């Protein structure tokens, strides 16, 4: 399940890290937060497709966080709850959560529930990615046609170049490291990937930018990676 971003919110670092390992093995990128306040900050920073949310957390608990998220967004939310928290679990579903998993949880069950919610979310077309057409100030990506245009003019990209552009355009403003780009596009560990990615980025800029030396769309964040400007 490539190009999906799941936000895992739990004040227990071991649980956050364990869930990250499970989901990463399924090709899902995990963003982590330790409480509800940090979770809402992450939501404002980048595209998230699903949230796994613990109920009992400091500063802002899972129930209140769910309520606040539902005021603005319809992202699927899966609650993590202990058996002793049945009342809170029911309340969480009432304020807008979509599903729940009881701790200690079976990793296979959690993965199955995550995949089910993501499929339902995408199929029903409740998120921007479902529109299949993304426009960033004249740079347009049509996912069904696998086509990129600049101000209406079709740009001829290689399959690898297209995958890089698609990754960046479906997550505008998010900075991807060189290793992350390599691993998500080439599906291999990103060892010594700097030159390979840099060459492809240069070629993409030559095709989509009016002035490749002063790019409008594909930006470098020095020392970190690359992003597509919103």
């Amino acid at each position: 399940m490539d190009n999906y971003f799941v936000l895992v919110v739990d004040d227990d670092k071991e649980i956050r890290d364990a869930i990250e390992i499970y989901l990463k093995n399924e090709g899902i990128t995990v963003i982590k937060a330790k409480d509800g306040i940090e979770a809402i900050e992450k939501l404002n920073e980048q595209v998230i497709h699903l949230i796994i949310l613990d109920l009992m957390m400091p500063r802002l608990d899972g129930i209140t966080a769910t309520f606040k998220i539902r005021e603005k967004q319809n992202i699927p939310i899966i609650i993590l709850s202990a058996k002793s928290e049945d009342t809170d679990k029911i309340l969480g579903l009432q304020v807008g959560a979509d599903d729940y998993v009881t701790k200690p949880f079976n990793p296979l069950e959690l993965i199955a529930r995550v995949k089910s919610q993501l499929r339902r979310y995408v199929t029903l077309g409740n998120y921007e990615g479902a529109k299949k057409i993304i426009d960033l100030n004249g740079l347009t990506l049509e996912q069904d046609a696998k086509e990129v245009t600049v101000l209406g003019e079709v740009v001829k990209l290689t399959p690898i170049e297209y995958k890089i552009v698609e990754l960046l355009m479906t997550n505008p403003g998010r900075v991807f490291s060189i290793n992350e780009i390599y691993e998500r596009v080439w599906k291999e560990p990103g060892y010594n990937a700097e030159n390979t990615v840099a060459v492809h980025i240069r070629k993409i800029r030559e095709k989509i930018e009016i002035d490749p030396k002063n790019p409008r769309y594909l930006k470098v964040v020095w020392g970190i990676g690359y992003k597509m400007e919103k």
Side-chain angles (χ1 to χ4, degrees), residues 103-132:
K103 292 192 270 186
F105 53 83
N106 182 318
L108 294 178
E109 178 188 1
L110 178 63
I111 290 169
R113 289 180 183 272
V114 166
K115 288 184 174 181
S116 174
Q117 289 296 329
L118 285 173
R119 279 195 300 268
R120 186 174 297 127
Y121 188 45
V122 171
T123 302
L124 292 177
N126 288 328
Y127 83 110
E128 284 190 13
K131 295 177 181 177
K132 303 294 184 181

Side-chain angles (χ1 to χ4, degrees), residues 20-21 94 113 156 162 223 225:
E20 180 180 29
I21 292 171
Q94 289 176 338
R113 289 180 183 272
K156 293 183 179 180
Y162 174 83

Side-chain angles (χ1 to χ4, degrees), residues 170-187:
T170 51
N171 300 279
R174 184 188 187 282
V175 180
F176 287 85
S177 70
I178 289 173
N179 284 352
E180 195 172 3
I181 291 172
Y182 191 90
E183 290 174 0
R184 294 178 71 81
V185 172
W186 278 266
K187 309 298 183 186

Side-chain angles (χ1 to χ4, degrees), residues 39-69:
I40 291 173
E41 291 173 352
K42 297 289 186 184
L43 280 171
N44 291 330
E45 292 173 359
Q46 68 179 87
V47 174
I48 299 293
H49 301 102
L50 181 143
I51 304 169
I52 298 174
L53 185 66
D54 185 33
L55 287 180
M56 304 300 290
M57 296 182 293
R59 295 211 299 170
L60 190 67
D61 63 83
I63 298 295
T64 308
T66 298
F67 185 78
K68 287 183 175 293
I69 291 167

Side-chain angles (χ1 to χ4, degrees), residues 145-191:
K146 303 292 183 186
E147 185 175 83
V148 174
T149 60
V150 179
L151 301 176
E153 295 292 326
V154 176
V155 177
K156 293 183 179 180
L157 299 173
T158 67
I160 289 293
E161 290 168 355
Y162 174 83
K163 288 180 181 179
I164 293 173
V165 171
E166 182 180 41
L167 173 65
L168 298 179
M169 286 190 69
T170 51
N171 300 279
R174 184 188 187 282
V175 180
F176 287 85
S177 70
I178 289 173
N179 284 352
E180 195 172 3
I181 291 172
Y182 191 90
E183 290 174 0
R184 294 178 71 81
V185 172
W186 278 266
K187 309 298 183 186
E188 297 174 359
Y191 303 127

Side-chain angles (χ1 to χ4, degrees), residues 67-85:
F67 185 78
K68 287 183 175 293
I69 291 167
R70 279 292 173 260
E71 289 177 344
K72 297 181 178 180
Q73 301 189 52
N74 196 34
I75 300 168
I77 298 175
I78 298 176
I79 287 174
L80 288 180
S81 67
K83 290 183 179 180
S84 60
E85 299 168 355

